[in-house]
Amino acid sequence: MISVATKVNEVREQVKKWKKEGLTVGFVPTMGYLHEGHQSLIAKAVEENDKVVVSIFVNPMQFGPNEDLASYPRDLQKDSDLCESTGANLIFHPEPEEMYTDGFCSYVDMSVLTEELCGLSRPVHFRGVCTVVSKLFHIVTPDRAYFGQKDAQQLAIIKRMVLDLNMDIEIIGCPIVREEDGLAKSSRNTYLSSEERQAALILSKSIKLGQTLVEGGETNCAKIITAMTDLIESEPLAKIDYIKIVDALTMQQIDTIDRPVLCAMAVYIGKTRLIDNFIED
Ligand code: AMP
């Protein structure tokens, strides 16, 4: 059985032992309710490192007051089975009190990259992400950490944080894993009714349309966004939060595709907010 550590010190001691033996450590931070998207990160970490730690922590700090912290799906038994069968060696599953002790008041706050896309509709989100990932990096001290391109802004932010704060960790981005019909896998897909699940396909269809336009040589961002918006608006259950094309490194909006770009969207299907994106290098 894979061990589940709930205390910071248990993780520290285990990782210290591994490092003493000269072993490399890969790390996959998650909020649990794991699916094949998470599994692809864990599999890559297992492939590239001697030992792999997976954290499962629904981080209260990255949820806004009206978001889904309380209802976020959880299933530690199923998650442990997936981690074990994929070859991970240790799960870190702390209580919020273990991560945020009484009087906690230190934060990692990034500007610029966090002020666009999801940062606009989720103002406290990336401060919570940067703070918890930074803490987890200090606890696990991995050689490499694995993040999905599903959360492309988060991936860019973590790369920037590691660079800015001189963290000696290699950040590895992994491609989006999708359902057979195209919907990007997400723990939040469980919120969708069967009618909403069908409607949610409009995200990946619109991503595909945008990608086809770009690959066909269209460089006018406004035209691409209009075409994608029109398609999403043809789905009555969908409500757009944003669709934007930004510089892939800085997350700043651009008018013309003349450098590597991220085209990202957040769309409500009923009450569920889903995200999807593509990157064009
Ligand atoms: P989460 O549990 O949602 O915080 O996600 C943990 C990690 O898994 C993040 O780095 C995500 O980007 C990644 N991830 C989630 N869904 C997918 C997916 N469909 N494909 C690839 N990576 C994913």
Coordinates of all heavy atoms in Angstrom, one line a residue, residues 100-167:
Y100 N -1.8 25.7 7.2 CA -2.0 27.1 7.6 C -2.2 27.1 9.1 O -3.3 27.1 9.6 CB -3.2 27.7 6.9 CG -3.1 27.7 5.3 CD1 -3.9 26.9 4.6 CD2 -2.1 28.4 4.7 CE1 -3.7 26.8 3.2 CE2 -1.9 28.3 3.3 CZ -2.7 27.5 2.6 OH -2.6 27.5 1.2
T101 N -1.1 27.2 9.8 CA -1.1 27.2 11.2 C -1.6 28.5 11.8 O -1.6 29.5 11.0 CB 0.3 26.9 11.8 OG1 1.2 27.8 11.2 CG2 0.7 25.5 11.6
D102 N -2.1 28.5 13.0 CA -2.6 29.7 13.6 C -1.7 30.9 13.4 O -0.5 30.9 13.6 CB -2.7 29.5 15.2 CG -4.1 29.2 15.6 OD1 -5.0 29.1 14.7 OD2 -4.3 29.0 16.8
G103 N -2.3 32.0 13.0 CA -1.5 33.3 12.8 C -0.8 33.3 11.4 O 0.0 34.3 11.2
F104 N -1.1 32.4 10.5 CA -0.5 32.4 9.2 C -0.7 33.8 8.5 O -1.8 34.3 8.4 CB -1.1 31.3 8.3 CG -0.5 31.2 7.0 CD1 0.6 30.2 6.8 CD2 -0.8 32.0 5.9 CE1 1.2 30.1 5.6 CE2 -0.2 31.8 4.7 CZ 0.8 30.9 4.5
C105 N 0.4 34.4 8.0 CA 0.2 35.7 7.3 C 1.3 35.9 6.3 O 1.6 37.1 6.0 CB 0.2 36.8 8.3 SG 1.6 36.9 9.4
S106 N 1.9 34.9 5.7 CA 2.9 35.1 4.6 C 2.4 34.6 3.3 O 1.8 33.5 3.3 CB 4.2 34.3 5.0 OG 4.6 34.7 6.2
Y107 N 2.5 35.4 2.3 CA 1.9 35.0 1.0 C 2.9 35.2 -0.1 O 3.8 36.0 -0.1 CB 0.7 35.9 0.7 CG -0.4 35.8 1.8 CD1 -0.3 36.6 2.9 CD2 -1.3 34.8 1.7 CE1 -1.3 36.5 3.9 CE2 -2.3 34.7 2.7 CZ -2.3 35.6 3.8 OH -3.2 35.4 4.7
V108 N 2.7 34.5 -1.2 CA 3.5 34.7 -2.5 C 2.5 35.4 -3.4 O 1.5 34.8 -3.9 CB 4.1 33.4 -3.1 CG1 4.8 33.7 -4.3 CG2 5.0 32.7 -2.0
D109 N 2.8 36.6 -3.8 CA 1.9 37.4 -4.5 C 2.6 37.8 -5.8 O 3.6 38.5 -5.8 CB 1.6 38.7 -3.7 CG 0.1 38.9 -3.7 OD1 -0.6 38.5 -4.6 OD2 -0.3 39.6 -2.7
M110 N 2.1 37.4 -7.0 CA 2.7 37.8 -8.2 C 1.8 38.8 -9.0 O 0.6 38.7 -8.9 CB 2.8 36.5 -9.1 CG 3.6 36.7 -10.4 SD 3.6 35.3 -11.4 CE 4.5 34.2 -10.5
S111 N 2.5 39.7 -9.7 CA 1.7 40.7 -10.5 C 1.7 40.3 -11.9 O 2.0 39.1 -12.2 CB 2.3 42.1 -10.3 OG 3.7 42.1 -10.8
V112 N 1.4 41.1 -12.8 CA 1.3 41.0 -14.3 C 0.7 39.7 -14.8 O -0.5 39.7 -15.2 CB 2.8 41.1 -14.9 CG1 2.7 41.1 -16.4 CG2 3.4 42.4 -14.4
L113 N 1.3 38.5 -14.6 CA 0.8 37.3 -15.2 C -0.6 36.9 -14.5 O -1.4 36.2 -15.1 CB 1.7 36.1 -15.1 CG 2.8 36.0 -16.1 CD1 4.0 37.0 -15.8 CD2 3.4 34.6 -16.1
T114 N -0.7 37.3 -13.3 CA -1.9 36.9 -12.5 C -3.1 37.9 -12.8 O -4.2 37.6 -12.2 CB -1.6 36.9 -11.0 OG1 -1.3 38.2 -10.6 CG2 -0.5 35.9 -10.7
E115 N -2.8 39.0 -13.5 CA -3.8 40.0 -13.6 C -4.7 39.9 -14.9 O -5.5 40.8 -15.2 CB -3.2 41.4 -13.5 CG -2.6 41.7 -12.1 CD -1.5 42.7 -12.1 OE1 -1.3 43.4 -13.2 OE2 -0.9 42.9 -11.0
E116 N -4.5 38.8 -15.6 CA -5.3 38.6 -16.8 C -6.1 37.3 -16.7 O -6.0 36.6 -15.7 CB -4.3 38.5 -18.0 CG -4.3 39.7 -18.9 CD -5.7 40.0 -19.6 OE1 -6.5 39.1 -19.6 OE2 -5.9 41.1 -20.0
L117 N -6.9 37.0 -17.7 CA -7.6 35.7 -17.8 C -8.3 35.3 -16.5 O -9.1 36.1 -16.0 CB -6.6 34.6 -18.3 CG -5.8 34.9 -19.5 CD1 -4.8 33.7 -19.8 CD2 -6.7 35.1 -20.8
C118 N -8.0 34.1 -15.9 CA -8.7 33.7 -14.7 C -8.5 34.6 -13.5 O -9.3 34.7 -12.6 CB -8.3 32.3 -14.3 SG -8.9 31.0 -15.4
G119 N -7.4 35.4 -13.6 CA -7.1 36.3 -12.5 C -8.1 37.4 -12.4 O -8.4 37.9 -11.3
L120 N -8.8 37.7 -13.5 CA -9.8 38.8 -13.4 C -11.1 38.3 -12.8 O -11.7 39.1 -12.0 CB -10.1 39.3 -14.9 CG -8.9 40.1 -15.5 CD1 -9.3 40.3 -17.0 CD2 -8.7 41.4 -14.8
S121 N -11.5 37.1 -13.1 CA -12.7 36.6 -12.5 C -12.5 35.9 -11.2 O -13.5 35.7 -10.4 CB -13.5 35.7 -13.4 OG -12.7 35.1 -14.3
R122 N -11.2 35.6 -10.9 CA -10.9 34.9 -9.6 C -9.8 35.6 -8.9 O -8.7 35.2 -8.9 CB -10.5 33.4 -9.9 CG -11.6 32.6 -10.7 CD -11.2 31.2 -10.8 NE -11.4 30.5 -9.5 CZ -10.9 29.2 -9.2 NH1 -10.3 28.6 -10.2 NH2 -11.1 28.7 -8.1
P123 N -10.1 36.8 -8.3 CA -9.1 37.7 -7.9 C -8.1 37.1 -6.8 O -6.9 37.5 -6.8 CB -9.8 38.9 -7.3 CG -11.3 38.6 -7.3 CD -11.5 37.3 -8.1
V124 N -8.5 36.2 -6.0 CA -7.6 35.7 -4.9 C -7.0 34.4 -5.3 O -6.1 33.9 -4.6 CB -8.3 35.5 -3.6 CG1 -8.9 36.8 -3.0 CG2 -9.4 34.4 -3.7
H125 N -7.4 33.9 -6.5 CA -7.0 32.5 -6.9 C -5.5 32.3 -7.0 O -4.9 31.4 -6.3 CB -7.7 32.2 -8.2 CG -7.3 30.8 -8.7 ND1 -7.7 29.6 -8.0 CD2 -6.6 30.4 -9.8 CE1 -7.2 28.6 -8.7 NE2 -6.6 29.0 -9.8
F126 N -4.8 33.1 -7.7 CA -3.4 32.8 -8.0 C -2.5 33.1 -6.8 O -1.4 32.6 -6.6 CB -2.9 33.5 -9.3 CG -3.5 32.9 -10.5 CD1 -4.3 33.6 -11.3 CD2 -3.2 31.6 -10.8 CE1 -4.9 33.0 -12.5 CE2 -3.8 30.9 -11.9 CZ -4.6 31.6 -12.8
R127 N -2.9 34.0 -5.9 CA -2.2 34.2 -4.7 C -2.2 33.0 -3.9 O -1.2 32.5 -3.3 CB -2.8 35.4 -3.9 CG -2.2 35.6 -2.5 CD -2.5 36.9 -2.0 NE -3.3 36.9 -0.7 CZ -3.1 37.7 0.2 NH1 -2.3 38.8 0.1 NH2 -3.8 37.6 1.3
G128 N -3.4 32.3 -3.8 CA -3.5 31.0 -3.1 C -2.7 30.0 -3.8 O -2.1 29.2 -3.1
V129 N -2.7 29.9 -5.1 CA -1.9 28.9 -5.8 C -0.4 29.1 -5.6 O 0.3 28.1 -5.2 CB -2.2 28.9 -7.4 CG1 -1.3 28.1 -8.2 CG2 -3.7 28.5 -7.6
C130 N 0.1 30.3 -5.8 CA 1.5 30.6 -5.6 C 1.9 30.3 -4.2 O 3.0 29.7 -4.0 CB 1.8 32.0 -6.0 SG 1.8 32.3 -7.8
T131 N 1.1 30.7 -3.2 CA 1.5 30.5 -1.8 C 1.5 29.0 -1.5 O 2.5 28.5 -1.0 CB 0.5 31.2 -0.9 OG1 0.5 32.6 -1.2 CG2 0.9 31.0 0.6
V132 N 0.5 28.2 -1.9 CA 0.5 26.8 -1.6 C 1.6 26.0 -2.3 O 2.2 25.2 -1.8 CB -0.9 26.2 -1.7 CG1 -1.2 25.8 -3.2 CG2 -1.0 24.9 -0.9
V133 N 1.8 26.4 -3.6 CA 2.8 25.6 -4.4 C 4.2 25.9 -3.9 O 5.0 25.0 -3.7 CB 2.7 25.9 -5.9 CG1 3.9 25.4 -6.7 CG2 1.4 25.4 -6.5
S134 N 4.4 27.2 -3.5 CA 5.7 27.5 -2.9 C 5.9 26.8 -1.6 O 7.0 26.2 -1.3 CB 5.7 29.0 -2.7 OG 6.7 29.4 -2.0
K135 N 4.9 26.7 -0.7 CA 5.0 25.9 0.5 C 5.3 24.4 0.2 O 6.1 23.8 0.8 CB 3.7 26.0 1.3 CG 3.5 27.4 2.1 CD 2.1 27.5 2.6 CE 1.8 26.5 3.7 NZ 2.6 26.6 4.9
L136 N 4.5 23.9 -0.7 CA 4.7 22.5 -1.1 C 6.1 22.2 -1.6 O 6.7 21.2 -1.3 CB 3.6 22.0 -2.1 CG 2.2 21.9 -1.5 CD1 1.2 21.8 -2.7 CD2 2.0 20.7 -0.6
F137 N 6.6 23.2 -2.4 CA 8.0 23.0 -2.9 C 9.0 23.0 -1.8 O 9.9 22.2 -1.8 CB 8.3 24.1 -3.9 CG 7.7 24.0 -5.3 CD1 7.9 25.0 -6.2 CD2 7.0 22.9 -5.6 CE1 7.4 24.8 -7.5 CE2 6.5 22.7 -6.9 CZ 6.7 23.7 -7.9
H138 N 8.7 23.8 -0.8 CA 9.7 23.9 0.4 C 9.6 22.6 1.2 O 10.5 22.1 1.8 CB 9.4 25.1 1.3 CG 9.9 26.3 0.7 ND1 9.1 27.4 0.3 CD2 11.2 26.8 0.6 CE1 9.9 28.3 -0.2 NE2 11.1 28.0 0.0
I139 N 8.4 22.0 1.3 CA 8.2 20.8 2.1 C 8.8 19.6 1.3 O 9.5 18.8 1.9 CB 6.7 20.6 2.3 CG1 6.1 21.7 3.2 CG2 6.4 19.2 3.0 CD1 4.6 21.8 3.2
V140 N 8.4 19.4 0.0 CA 8.8 18.2 -0.7 C 10.2 18.3 -1.3 O 10.9 17.3 -1.5 CB 7.8 18.0 -1.9 CG1 8.2 16.8 -2.7 CG2 6.4 17.8 -1.3
T141 N 10.7 19.6 -1.5 CA 12.0 19.8 -2.2 C 12.3 18.9 -3.4 O 13.3 18.2 -3.4 CB 13.2 19.7 -1.2 OG1 13.2 18.4 -0.6 CG2 13.0 20.8 -0.1
P142 N 11.4 18.9 -4.4 CA 11.6 18.0 -5.5 C 12.7 18.5 -6.5 O 13.0 19.6 -6.5 CB 10.2 18.0 -6.2 CG 9.7 19.4 -5.9 CD 10.2 19.8 -4.5
D143 N 13.1 17.5 -7.3 CA 14.0 17.9 -8.4 C 13.2 18.5 -9.5 O 13.6 19.4 -10.2 CB 14.8 16.7 -8.9 CG 15.7 16.2 -7.8 OD1 16.7 16.8 -7.5 OD2 15.4 15.2 -7.2
R144 N 12.0 17.8 -9.8 CA 11.1 18.2 -10.9 C 9.7 18.2 -10.4 O 9.3 17.4 -9.5 CB 11.2 17.2 -12.0 CG 12.6 17.1 -12.6 CD 12.6 16.1 -13.7 NE 14.0 15.8 -14.1 CZ 14.8 14.9 -13.5 NH1 14.3 14.1 -12.6 NH2 16.1 14.8 -13.8
A145 N 8.9 19.2 -10.9 CA 7.5 19.2 -10.6 C 6.7 19.3 -11.9 O 7.1 19.9 -12.8 CB 7.2 20.4 -9.7
Y146 N 5.5 18.6 -11.9 CA 4.7 18.4 -13.1 C 3.4 19.1 -13.0 O 2.7 18.9 -12.0 CB 4.6 16.9 -13.3 CG 5.9 16.2 -13.5 CD1 6.7 15.9 -12.4 CD2 6.4 15.9 -14.8 CE1 8.0 15.4 -12.6 CE2 7.6 15.4 -15.0 CZ 8.4 15.1 -13.9 OH 9.7 14.5 -14.1
F147 N 3.1 19.9 -14.1 CA 1.8 20.6 -14.1 C 1.2 20.4 -15.5 O 1.9 20.3 -16.5 CB 2.1 22.1 -13.9 CG 2.5 22.5 -12.5 CD1 3.9 22.3 -12.1 CD2 1.6 22.9 -11.5 CE1 4.3 22.6 -10.8 CE2 2.0 23.2 -10.2 CZ 3.4 23.0 -9.9
G148 N -0.2 20.5 -15.5 CA -0.9 20.3 -16.8 C -1.1 21.6 -17.5 O -1.3 22.6 -16.9
Q149 N -1.0 21.5 -18.8 CA -1.3 22.6 -19.7 C -2.8 22.9 -19.7 O -3.2 24.0 -20.1 CB -0.8 22.3 -21.1 CG -0.8 23.6 -22.0 CD -1.0 23.2 -23.5 OE1 -0.3 22.4 -24.0 NE2 -2.1 23.7 -24.1
K150 N -3.6 22.0 -19.1 CA -5.0 22.3 -18.9 C -5.2 23.6 -18.2 O -6.1 24.4 -18.5 CB -5.6 21.1 -18.1 CG -6.9 21.4 -17.4 CD -8.1 21.2 -18.3 CE -9.4 21.6 -17.7 NZ -9.5 21.6 -16.3
D151 N -4.3 23.9 -17.2 CA -4.3 25.1 -16.5 C -3.1 25.9 -17.0 O -2.1 26.1 -16.3 CB -4.2 24.9 -15.0 CG -5.4 24.1 -14.5 OD1 -6.4 24.6 -14.1 OD2 -5.3 22.8 -14.5
A152 N -3.2 26.4 -18.2 CA -2.1 27.0 -18.9 C -1.6 28.3 -18.2 O -0.3 28.5 -18.1 CB -2.4 27.3 -20.3
Q153 N -2.5 29.1 -17.7 CA -2.0 30.3 -17.0 C -1.3 29.9 -15.7 O -0.2 30.5 -15.4 CB -3.2 31.2 -16.6 CG -2.8 32.5 -16.0 CD -4.0 33.4 -15.8 OE1 -5.2 33.0 -15.8 NE2 -3.7 34.7 -15.5
Q154 N -1.8 28.9 -15.0 CA -1.1 28.4 -13.8 C 0.3 28.0 -14.1 O 1.2 28.3 -13.4 CB -2.0 27.3 -13.1 CG -1.3 26.6 -12.0 CD -2.2 25.6 -11.4 OE1 -3.0 25.9 -10.5 NE2 -2.1 24.3 -11.7
L155 N 0.4 27.2 -15.2 CA 1.7 26.7 -15.6 C 2.7 27.8 -15.8 O 3.8 27.8 -15.4 CB 1.5 25.8 -16.8 CG 2.8 25.2 -17.5 CD1 3.7 24.4 -16.5 CD2 2.4 24.3 -18.7
A156 N 2.2 28.8 -16.6 CA 3.1 30.0 -16.9 C 3.5 30.7 -15.6 O 4.6 31.1 -15.4 CB 2.4 30.9 -17.8
I157 N 2.5 30.8 -14.7 CA 2.8 31.5 -13.4 C 3.8 30.8 -12.5 O 4.7 31.4 -12.0 CB 1.4 31.7 -12.7 CG1 0.6 32.9 -13.3 CG2 1.6 32.0 -11.2 CD1 -0.8 33.0 -12.9
I158 N 3.7 29.5 -12.5 CA 4.6 28.7 -11.7 C 6.0 28.7 -12.3 O 7.0 28.9 -11.5 CB 4.1 27.2 -11.6 CG1 2.8 27.1 -10.9 CG2 5.2 26.3 -10.9 CD1 2.7 27.6 -9.5
K159 N 6.1 28.7 -13.6 CA 7.4 28.8 -14.2 C 8.0 30.2 -13.9 O 9.2 30.3 -13.6 CB 7.3 28.7 -15.8 CG 7.1 27.2 -16.2 CD 7.1 27.2 -17.7 CE 7.1 25.7 -18.2 NZ 6.7 25.6 -19.7
R160 N 7.2 31.2 -13.9 CA 7.7 32.6 -13.6 C 8.1 32.7 -12.1 O 9.2 33.2 -11.8 CB 6.6 33.6 -13.9 CG 7.0 35.0 -13.8 CD 7.8 35.5 -15.0 NE 9.0 36.0 -14.5 CZ 10.0 36.5 -15.3 NH1 9.8 36.5 -16.7 NH2 11.1 37.0 -14.9
M161 N 7.3 32.1 -11.3 CA 7.6 32.1 -9.8 C 9.0 31.4 -9.5 O 9.8 32.0 -8.8 CB 6.5 31.4 -9.0 CG 6.7 31.4 -7.5 SD 5.4 30.6 -6.6 CE 5.9 28.8 -6.8
V162 N 9.2 30.3 -10.1 CA 10.4 29.5 -9.9 C 11.6 30.3 -10.4 O 12.7 30.3 -9.8 CB 10.3 28.1 -10.6 CG1 11.6 27.5 -10.8 CG2 9.4 27.2 -9.8
L163 N 11.4 31.0 -11.5 CA 12.5 31.8 -12.1 C 12.7 33.0 -11.2 O 13.9 33.3 -10.8 CB 12.1 32.3 -13.5 CG 13.0 33.1 -14.3 CD1 14.2 32.2 -14.8 CD2 12.3 33.6 -15.6
D164 N 11.7 33.7 -10.8 CA 11.8 35.0 -10.1 C 12.4 34.7 -8.7 O 13.1 35.5 -8.1 CB 10.4 35.7 -9.9 CG 9.9 36.3 -11.2 OD1 10.7 36.3 -12.2 OD2 8.8 36.8 -11.2
L165 N 12.0 33.6 -8.0 CA 12.4 33.4 -6.7 C 13.5 32.4 -6.6 O 13.8 31.8 -5.5 CB 11.2 32.9 -5.8 CG 10.0 33.9 -5.8 CD1 8.9 33.3 -4.9 CD2 10.4 35.2 -5.3
N166 N 14.2 32.1 -7.7 CA 15.4 31.2 -7.7 C 15.1 29.9 -7.1 O 16.0 29.4 -6.3 CB 16.6 31.9 -7.1 CG 16.8 33.3 -7.7 OD1 16.3 34.3 -7.2 ND2 17.5 33.3 -8.8
M167 N 14.0 29.3 -7.4 CA 13.8 27.9 -6.8 C 14.4 26.9 -7.7 O 14.3 27.0 -8.9 CB 12.3 27.7 -6.8 CG 11.5 28.6 -5.8 SD 9.7 28.3 -6.0 CE 9.1 29.3 -4.6

